[in-house]
Amino acid sequence: MAVDYTTHDGVAVITLNNPPVNGLGLSTRAGIVEGIERAQNDPGIEAIVLTGAGKAFSGGADITEFNTPKATQEPTLATVIKIVEGSAKPVVAAIHSVAMGGGLELALGAHYRVAAPGAQIALPEVKLGILPGAGGTQRLPRAIGLEAALNMIVSGTPVMSEKLADSGLFDELAQGDLAEAALAFARKVGAKEGPHPKLRDRRIEHPNAAGFIQFARNSVAAVAKHFPAPHKCIDAVEAGVQNGFDKGLAFERECFIALVQTPESRALRHAFFGERAASKIPDVPSDTPVRDINQVAVIGAGTMGGGIAMNFINAGIPVTLLETRQEALDRGLATIRKNYEASVRKGKLKPEALEQRMALITPTLSYDDLKNADLIVEAVFEELDVKEQVFRRLDEVAKQGAILASNTSTLDVDRIAAFTKRPQDVVGMHFFSPANVMKLLEVVRGRETAKDVLATVMKLAKKIRKTAVVSGVCDGFIGNRMIEQYIRQALFMLEEGALPAQVDRAIEKFGFAMGPFRMSDLAGNDIGWAIRKRRYQEHPDMHYSKIADRLCETGRFGQKTGGGWYDYKAGDRTAYPSKVVDDMIVAFSKEANAGRRKISDEEIVERLVFSLVNEGAKILEEGIASKASDIDMVYLAGYGFPLYRGGPMLYADTVGLYNVERAIRRYAAQPNGDAWQLASGIAALAAQGRGFNG
Ligand code: 3HC
Ligand code: NAI
C-alpha cells in the first residue's frame, strides 16, 4: 500500500509510503484521495495531517510515469490537490526532509503547513524541462510573494525550510518532533470553525509585477537559450498575476502538457535517470559491501595528480601526495594552493577553509608513508615502464585491501594490474582535466577487478561529486575511443573541402561547447599527434588524414604556441581564422588529389555526431559500456555534448536509427568512407524499429 492511514485522538494521519522518495504515482494519488474521504466520513475526525514516511515528504510526481497512461489517469495530481483543498476538515501538511515538485504542490494545496527544519523545499521541474504542473506556479507566488516564488520556479534550486520560516509558506516551523507538532497544530485548527484558508484565495501583492516579470524574462533569455521551460514558467506565473488563479492554473496545465513532450524535457529526464543508472553495475548488487576509504594517497603531483588530490581534500579526506623530487612536490603544492586562492578570491571558498584544506595534504617523497592509505591513485607519466615501477612498488608497500587505481588515459589497465600480485584490487580511475573541476570519472573495470572494489569506487565517486561511469578495458575507454572517430571525421572533412572555422561553427551551432579544432588548439595539437604516431605503428591499416600532422610539423600546437588551427593574439583566447592554415589545407587537398567540394553544415554535424554514435554502438556490443545511457553520461559530463540533446545515443534515437543507418551507409560510399564500418547494433535495432533507449 502506497499510503498509510492512522488515527490519533480525532486526527487522521495520511502517510505517503512509496519508497524511495514518496513519488506521487497513481497508487499514491489514489491512496491520498481514499484517506481524505475516509476522514470526511468519520465523525470522530476533526482534522487531517498529511505527511511522508522515510526520507521524504515527497519528491514529487513519479517521473517514470511521464508520457504513460498512468500519468493522466484519475485521480491526477491536480484532482488530488483539488480534493485536499476542498476538504471540509482542515488538512495540515507535515513537511520534512524533501518537499519537491508535485510534493510541494500537494503541500500548497493543504490549508496549513508545519515544517521541520532542514527540509529541502523546491519546485525543480524546470530541471526536467517542464514547469510545475499542479498549481505550483499559481500557489507559490501567493504563499511567498512573486519575486521569491519566481526565483524558485525558474531556478529549481532547493531552499532550506528554516530560510523560508518567515516567508508565509509555513504556519509553524516545528522545533521538536514534527509528528507531535503537526498533531498538536491539527487539533488546534480542528477545533476552529471553517472555512480554512486556501492559498488560491490569497492575492499576489507586488508594487510592479509587470516590471519584475520583464526583468525575469530578460535574465532567462540570457541563460536558457536552448530550453523552453524557464520561459514558460514565467508565462504561467504572469498568467496568474494578470488573469487570476483559475485562468493561471488552466494555462499552467496547457504549458505542462506541451513541455513534457519536448525533446529538451526528454533529454533532461534521460540525464536525471542516466546519472542514477550509471552508478548501478549489472552484476554488482547494490548491497555489495564496500571498503572504508578514510585515507587516500596520490602518486604524481603534476597536472592530474594535483587536481585529483583536491577532489578528496574537498570532501574532507586526507591525502598523502608522493613525488620523486622535492621540486616537483613543491610545484604541485603551489598549484593546489593557487587554485584554492583563486576560489577564495571569487568568494567560492572561505579564507579560513584554504589552510584547513592545505592541512589535509601530507607531501612525501617516501613510499613508506603510503602504508596506511585505503586508496592510492597513480597519476605519473603515461609510460608503461614508469607505471610498472610504481605498481610493483605499491604492491610491496600498500596495506592488504588497499585499492590501487591508475589514472591512465590510454594504457591497458589489465597489464598494469598484472604488475601486482593483487590484480583484484586494481582499477582505473580516469579523471578528466582539470580534475578538480570536470564532473566525469570513468571507472575502468579490469578483467580481475573485484566487485567490492568497483562498488567502493562508485560510492566514493558520489562523495567527491563526480558522475562516475564504468568502462571496460579498451583503447581510450568510452569517451576517448569515441572522440577519436569524431576527430578522424573532422580531419577528413578539411581534406574534402571544409575549413576549421566552418566545422567548429556548425557543431557549436548544434550545441557543442567547443568545436573539434578550437578544442584541439586548447588542449594542444601535439597530444593528438603523439597518439596518431602510436596508432600508425599499432594499426598501420587504419586510415587517418595526415592534415593534422602537417600542421604539427610547422610547430602550430595551439594556444600555447600562439597558433594552431587558428591564430591567437597574446593574452587573448579568441580563435581567429588563419589564412596560412587555410591555404595549407587547400594545398593539402590538391596534393592529395582529393578535390574540394562544398560540405554542408548538415553533413558536418551528421558525420561528427554519427561517428560518435557508431562507435558508441560498438562499445555497447562489446560490453565496454553496459547501457546506452552510460555513454550519454560520459558525453554530457565530460565532452560538452549539449545537455538539451541528451547525449549522442539519445540524440540518435530522436533522429531515428533508421535514418542514422541510412546516413552512415551514404557516408561510407563517399571518399574516406572506409572510416565507416556500420555497427551491427544500429542495423539490428533499426530493423526492429527500436532505439538504444528502448
Ligand atoms: N519520480 C520517480 N523517481 C524518483 C523521483 C521522482 N520524482 N525522485 C527520485 N526518484 C528516484 C531516483 O530515480 C532514485 O531511484 P533509484 O534508487 O532506482 O536510482 C531514487 O528515487 C533515489 O533518488 P536519489 O538517488 O536522487 O536520492 P537522493 O536522496 O540523493 O535525492 C531527491 C532525493 C532530492 C528527491 C532527488 O531524487 C531529486 O531531486 N528528485 C527529483 C525531484 C523532482 O524533480 N521532482 C519533480 C518531479 S516532476 C513533478 O513533480 C511534476 C509536477 O509538477 C506535476
Ligand atoms: P604530468 O607530467 O603533468 O604529471 C606527472 C607527474 O608525475 C610529474 O609531476 C612527475 O614528476 C610525476 N612522476 C613521474 N614519475 C613518477 C614516479 N615514478 N613516482 C612519482 N611521481 C612521478 O602528467 P599528467 O598530465 O598529470 O598525467 C598523469 C597521468 O594522467 C597520465 O597517465 C596521463 O595519461 C593521465 N591523464 C592525463 C590527462 C590530461 O589531460 N593531462 C587526462 C586524463 C588522464
Side-chain angles (χ1 to χ4, degrees), residues 289-328:
V290 291
R291 304 184 189 183
D292 286 335
I293 306 291
N294 299 314
Q295 172 75 48
V296 169
V298 175
I299 321 263
T303 307
M304 294 305 288
I308 292 170
M310 287 175 74
N311 283 297
F312 296 107
I313 301 165
N314 294 346
I317 304 173
V319 173
T320 305
L321 187 58
L322 182 138
E323 263 288 351
T324 44
R325 289 168 303 112
Q326 188 63 43
E327 309 85 84

Short mmCIF file of all heavy atoms in Angstrom, two decimals, residues 289-328:
data_model
loop_
_atom_site.label_atom_id
_atom_site.label_comp_id
_atom_site.label_asym_id
_atom_site.label_seq_id
_atom_site.Cartn_x
_atom_site.Cartn_y
_atom_site.Cartn_z
N PRO A 289 29.20 -5.21 -0.14
CA PRO A 289 29.90 -4.46 0.91
C PRO A 289 31.00 -3.58 0.32
O PRO A 289 31.59 -3.95 -0.70
CB PRO A 289 30.50 -5.55 1.81
CG PRO A 289 30.34 -6.82 1.09
CD PRO A 289 29.37 -6.65 -0.04
N VAL A 290 31.21 -2.43 0.92
CA VAL A 290 32.25 -1.54 0.39
C VAL A 290 33.39 -1.43 1.40
O VAL A 290 33.21 -1.68 2.58
CB VAL A 290 31.69 -0.12 0.07
CG1 VAL A 290 30.74 -0.18 -1.09
CG2 VAL A 290 31.04 0.50 1.29
N ARG A 291 34.55 -1.09 0.88
CA ARG A 291 35.71 -0.90 1.77
C ARG A 291 35.71 0.53 2.30
O ARG A 291 35.24 1.44 1.61
CB ARG A 291 37.00 -1.17 0.99
CG ARG A 291 37.02 -2.56 0.36
CD ARG A 291 38.34 -2.85 -0.33
NE ARG A 291 38.24 -4.10 -1.09
CZ ARG A 291 39.24 -4.66 -1.76
NH1 ARG A 291 40.44 -4.08 -1.77
NH2 ARG A 291 39.06 -5.78 -2.43
N ASP A 292 36.24 0.72 3.51
CA ASP A 292 36.31 2.08 4.08
C ASP A 292 37.43 2.86 3.41
O ASP A 292 38.55 2.35 3.26
CB ASP A 292 36.62 2.01 5.58
CG ASP A 292 35.41 1.56 6.35
OD1 ASP A 292 34.29 1.76 5.85
OD2 ASP A 292 35.58 0.99 7.45
N ILE A 293 37.12 4.08 3.01
CA ILE A 293 38.17 4.93 2.43
C ILE A 293 38.29 6.18 3.31
O ILE A 293 37.53 7.13 3.19
CB ILE A 293 37.84 5.34 0.97
CG1 ILE A 293 37.56 4.13 0.09
CG2 ILE A 293 38.97 6.21 0.39
CD1 ILE A 293 38.72 3.23 -0.22
N ASN A 294 39.28 6.13 4.20
CA ASN A 294 39.47 7.28 5.11
C ASN A 294 40.77 8.01 4.83
O ASN A 294 40.99 9.11 5.32
CB ASN A 294 39.48 6.79 6.56
CG ASN A 294 38.16 6.12 6.91
OD1 ASN A 294 37.09 6.65 6.59
ND2 ASN A 294 38.22 4.95 7.52
N GLN A 295 41.62 7.37 4.05
CA GLN A 295 42.94 7.96 3.79
C GLN A 295 43.32 7.62 2.35
O GLN A 295 43.29 6.46 1.96
CB GLN A 295 43.94 7.35 4.79
CG GLN A 295 45.38 7.69 4.55
CD GLN A 295 45.71 9.12 4.98
OE1 GLN A 295 45.36 9.53 6.07
NE2 GLN A 295 46.35 9.87 4.10
N VAL A 296 43.64 8.66 1.59
CA VAL A 296 43.96 8.45 0.18
C VAL A 296 45.42 8.86 -0.07
O VAL A 296 45.94 9.74 0.61
CB VAL A 296 43.00 9.29 -0.71
CG1 VAL A 296 43.45 9.31 -2.16
CG2 VAL A 296 41.57 8.74 -0.62
N ALA A 297 46.06 8.22 -1.03
CA ALA A 297 47.37 8.70 -1.49
C ALA A 297 47.30 8.93 -2.99
O ALA A 297 46.57 8.23 -3.69
CB ALA A 297 48.45 7.68 -1.16
N VAL A 298 48.01 9.95 -3.45
CA VAL A 298 48.07 10.22 -4.88
C VAL A 298 49.55 10.22 -5.27
O VAL A 298 50.38 10.84 -4.60
CB VAL A 298 47.41 11.58 -5.22
CG1 VAL A 298 47.60 11.93 -6.69
CG2 VAL A 298 45.93 11.57 -4.87
N ILE A 299 49.88 9.51 -6.34
CA ILE A 299 51.28 9.45 -6.80
C ILE A 299 51.42 10.35 -8.01
O ILE A 299 50.76 10.12 -9.02
CB ILE A 299 51.66 8.03 -7.25
CG1 ILE A 299 51.05 6.99 -6.34
CG2 ILE A 299 53.16 7.89 -7.39
CD1 ILE A 299 51.89 6.47 -5.29
N GLY A 300 52.27 11.33 -7.91
CA GLY A 300 52.47 12.27 -9.01
C GLY A 300 51.67 13.54 -8.72
O GLY A 300 50.45 13.49 -8.56
N ALA A 301 52.38 14.66 -8.64
CA ALA A 301 51.71 15.92 -8.31
C ALA A 301 51.71 16.85 -9.52
O ALA A 301 51.85 18.05 -9.40
CB ALA A 301 52.39 16.59 -7.12
N GLY A 302 51.53 16.26 -10.70
CA GLY A 302 51.50 17.07 -11.93
C GLY A 302 50.11 17.59 -12.20
O GLY A 302 49.30 17.76 -11.28
N THR A 303 49.83 17.84 -13.48
CA THR A 303 48.54 18.40 -13.88
C THR A 303 47.38 17.62 -13.27
O THR A 303 46.46 18.19 -12.68
CB THR A 303 48.42 18.31 -15.42
OG1 THR A 303 49.57 18.88 -15.99
CG2 THR A 303 47.18 19.01 -15.93
N MET A 304 47.42 16.30 -13.40
CA MET A 304 46.29 15.50 -12.95
C MET A 304 46.36 15.20 -11.45
O MET A 304 45.37 15.32 -10.74
CB MET A 304 46.22 14.19 -13.74
CG MET A 304 45.89 14.38 -15.21
SD MET A 304 44.39 15.32 -15.49
CE MET A 304 43.13 14.16 -15.00
N GLY A 305 47.54 14.81 -10.97
CA GLY A 305 47.66 14.41 -9.56
C GLY A 305 47.18 15.49 -8.61
O GLY A 305 46.44 15.22 -7.65
N GLY A 306 47.56 16.75 -8.88
CA GLY A 306 47.14 17.85 -8.01
C GLY A 306 45.63 17.99 -7.99
O GLY A 306 45.01 18.10 -6.92
N GLY A 307 45.03 17.97 -9.17
CA GLY A 307 43.57 18.11 -9.25
C GLY A 307 42.86 16.95 -8.59
O GLY A 307 41.84 17.12 -7.93
N ILE A 308 43.41 15.75 -8.78
CA ILE A 308 42.79 14.56 -8.18
C ILE A 308 42.84 14.68 -6.65
O ILE A 308 41.84 14.44 -5.96
CB ILE A 308 43.52 13.28 -8.65
CG1 ILE A 308 43.26 13.06 -10.14
CG2 ILE A 308 43.08 12.06 -7.85
CD1 ILE A 308 44.11 11.98 -10.80
N ALA A 309 44.00 15.10 -6.14
CA ALA A 309 44.12 15.26 -4.68
C ALA A 309 43.07 16.25 -4.16
O ALA A 309 42.44 16.02 -3.13
CB ALA A 309 45.53 15.75 -4.34
N MET A 310 42.85 17.33 -4.91
CA MET A 310 41.88 18.35 -4.45
C MET A 310 40.48 17.77 -4.26
O MET A 310 39.75 18.15 -3.35
CB MET A 310 41.83 19.51 -5.45
CG MET A 310 43.06 20.40 -5.38
SD MET A 310 43.00 21.67 -6.67
CE MET A 310 41.76 22.77 -6.01
N ASN A 311 40.11 16.83 -5.14
CA ASN A 311 38.78 16.23 -5.01
C ASN A 311 38.57 15.61 -3.63
O ASN A 311 37.51 15.74 -3.04
CB ASN A 311 38.60 15.10 -6.04
CG ASN A 311 38.34 15.66 -7.40
OD1 ASN A 311 37.34 16.31 -7.61
ND2 ASN A 311 39.24 15.40 -8.32
N PHE A 312 39.60 14.88 -3.18
CA PHE A 312 39.45 14.18 -1.90
C PHE A 312 39.51 15.18 -0.75
O PHE A 312 38.74 15.09 0.20
CB PHE A 312 40.52 13.10 -1.77
CG PHE A 312 40.36 12.03 -2.83
CD1 PHE A 312 41.23 11.92 -3.90
CD2 PHE A 312 39.28 11.15 -2.77
CE1 PHE A 312 41.05 10.96 -4.88
CE2 PHE A 312 39.08 10.18 -3.76
CZ PHE A 312 39.97 10.09 -4.82
N ILE A 313 40.42 16.12 -0.86
CA ILE A 313 40.54 17.12 0.20
C ILE A 313 39.23 17.87 0.35
O ILE A 313 38.75 18.14 1.45
CB ILE A 313 41.66 18.13 -0.15
CG1 ILE A 313 42.98 17.42 -0.32
CG2 ILE A 313 41.79 19.20 0.92
CD1 ILE A 313 44.02 18.28 -1.01
N ASN A 314 38.64 18.23 -0.77
CA ASN A 314 37.37 18.98 -0.73
C ASN A 314 36.29 18.19 -0.01
O ASN A 314 35.36 18.76 0.55
CB ASN A 314 36.89 19.31 -2.14
CG ASN A 314 37.82 20.27 -2.85
OD1 ASN A 314 38.68 20.88 -2.21
ND2 ASN A 314 37.68 20.40 -4.15
N ALA A 315 36.41 16.85 -0.05
CA ALA A 315 35.42 16.02 0.63
C ALA A 315 35.87 15.68 2.05
O ALA A 315 35.27 14.85 2.72
CB ALA A 315 35.20 14.74 -0.17
N GLY A 316 36.97 16.31 2.49
CA GLY A 316 37.44 16.12 3.86
C GLY A 316 38.28 14.86 4.06
O GLY A 316 38.52 14.45 5.19
N ILE A 317 38.73 14.25 2.97
CA ILE A 317 39.53 13.01 3.10
C ILE A 317 41.01 13.38 2.98
O ILE A 317 41.42 13.97 1.97
CB ILE A 317 39.16 12.00 2.00
CG1 ILE A 317 37.65 11.71 2.04
CG2 ILE A 317 39.97 10.71 2.15
CD1 ILE A 317 37.15 10.85 0.89
N PRO A 318 41.82 13.06 4.00
CA PRO A 318 43.23 13.43 3.94
C PRO A 318 43.97 12.70 2.82
O PRO A 318 43.66 11.55 2.51
CB PRO A 318 43.80 13.00 5.30
CG PRO A 318 42.68 12.44 6.08
CD PRO A 318 41.45 12.38 5.23
N VAL A 319 44.94 13.40 2.23
CA VAL A 319 45.67 12.86 1.08
C VAL A 319 47.17 12.93 1.31
O VAL A 319 47.69 13.98 1.70
CB VAL A 319 45.33 13.66 -0.20
CG1 VAL A 319 46.21 13.22 -1.36
CG2 VAL A 319 43.86 13.53 -0.58
N THR A 320 47.85 11.83 1.09
CA THR A 320 49.32 11.84 1.06
C THR A 320 49.72 11.95 -0.41
O THR A 320 49.26 11.17 -1.23
CB THR A 320 49.87 10.53 1.66
OG1 THR A 320 49.32 10.38 2.96
CG2 THR A 320 51.38 10.56 1.75
N LEU A 321 50.55 12.95 -0.70
CA LEU A 321 50.90 13.22 -2.09
C LEU A 321 52.37 12.89 -2.30
O LEU A 321 53.24 13.46 -1.63
CB LEU A 321 50.63 14.71 -2.37
CG LEU A 321 50.76 15.21 -3.79
CD1 LEU A 321 49.84 14.46 -4.74
CD2 LEU A 321 50.41 16.71 -3.85
N LEU A 322 52.62 11.95 -3.20
CA LEU A 322 54.00 11.47 -3.37
C LEU A 322 54.58 11.89 -4.71
O LEU A 322 53.92 11.81 -5.73
CB LEU A 322 54.02 9.94 -3.26
CG LEU A 322 55.40 9.29 -3.36
CD1 LEU A 322 55.53 8.18 -2.33
CD2 LEU A 322 55.67 8.73 -4.74
N GLU A 323 55.83 12.35 -4.67
CA GLU A 323 56.56 12.69 -5.89
C GLU A 323 57.96 12.10 -5.82
O GLU A 323 58.37 11.61 -4.76
CB GLU A 323 56.66 14.22 -6.04
CG GLU A 323 55.62 14.84 -6.96
CD GLU A 323 55.85 14.54 -8.44
OE1 GLU A 323 56.91 14.00 -8.78
OE2 GLU A 323 54.96 14.84 -9.26
N THR A 324 58.67 12.19 -6.94
CA THR A 324 60.03 11.66 -6.95
C THR A 324 61.04 12.72 -6.49
O THR A 324 62.08 12.40 -5.95
CB THR A 324 60.44 11.21 -8.37
OG1 THR A 324 60.01 12.22 -9.26
CG2 THR A 324 59.81 9.89 -8.72
N ARG A 325 60.69 13.98 -6.75
CA ARG A 325 61.65 15.05 -6.42
C ARG A 325 60.95 16.16 -5.65
O ARG A 325 59.77 16.45 -5.90
CB ARG A 325 62.24 15.65 -7.71
CG ARG A 325 63.21 14.72 -8.45
CD ARG A 325 63.55 15.21 -9.83
NE ARG A 325 62.34 15.41 -10.63
CZ ARG A 325 61.88 16.59 -11.04
NH1 ARG A 325 62.54 17.68 -10.78
NH2 ARG A 325 60.76 16.65 -11.74
N GLN A 326 61.72 16.80 -4.74
CA GLN A 326 61.16 17.85 -3.89
C GLN A 326 60.60 19.00 -4.74
O GLN A 326 59.53 19.52 -4.46
CB GLN A 326 62.23 18.37 -2.92
CG GLN A 326 61.69 19.33 -1.86
CD GLN A 326 60.66 18.67 -0.94
OE1 GLN A 326 60.84 17.53 -0.49
NE2 GLN A 326 59.55 19.36 -0.66
N GLU A 327 61.32 19.35 -5.84
CA GLU A 327 60.85 20.49 -6.66
C GLU A 327 59.47 20.19 -7.25
O GLU A 327 58.60 21.07 -7.27
CB GLU A 327 61.78 20.80 -7.85
CG GLU A 327 63.24 20.96 -7.56
CD GLU A 327 63.95 19.62 -7.54
OE1 GLU A 327 64.33 19.12 -8.60
OE2 GLU A 327 64.11 19.08 -6.42
N ALA A 328 59.30 18.95 -7.70
CA ALA A 328 58.01 18.59 -8.31
C ALA A 328 56.91 18.65 -7.26
O ALA A 328 55.78 19.10 -7.53
CB ALA A 328 58.09 17.21 -8.93
#
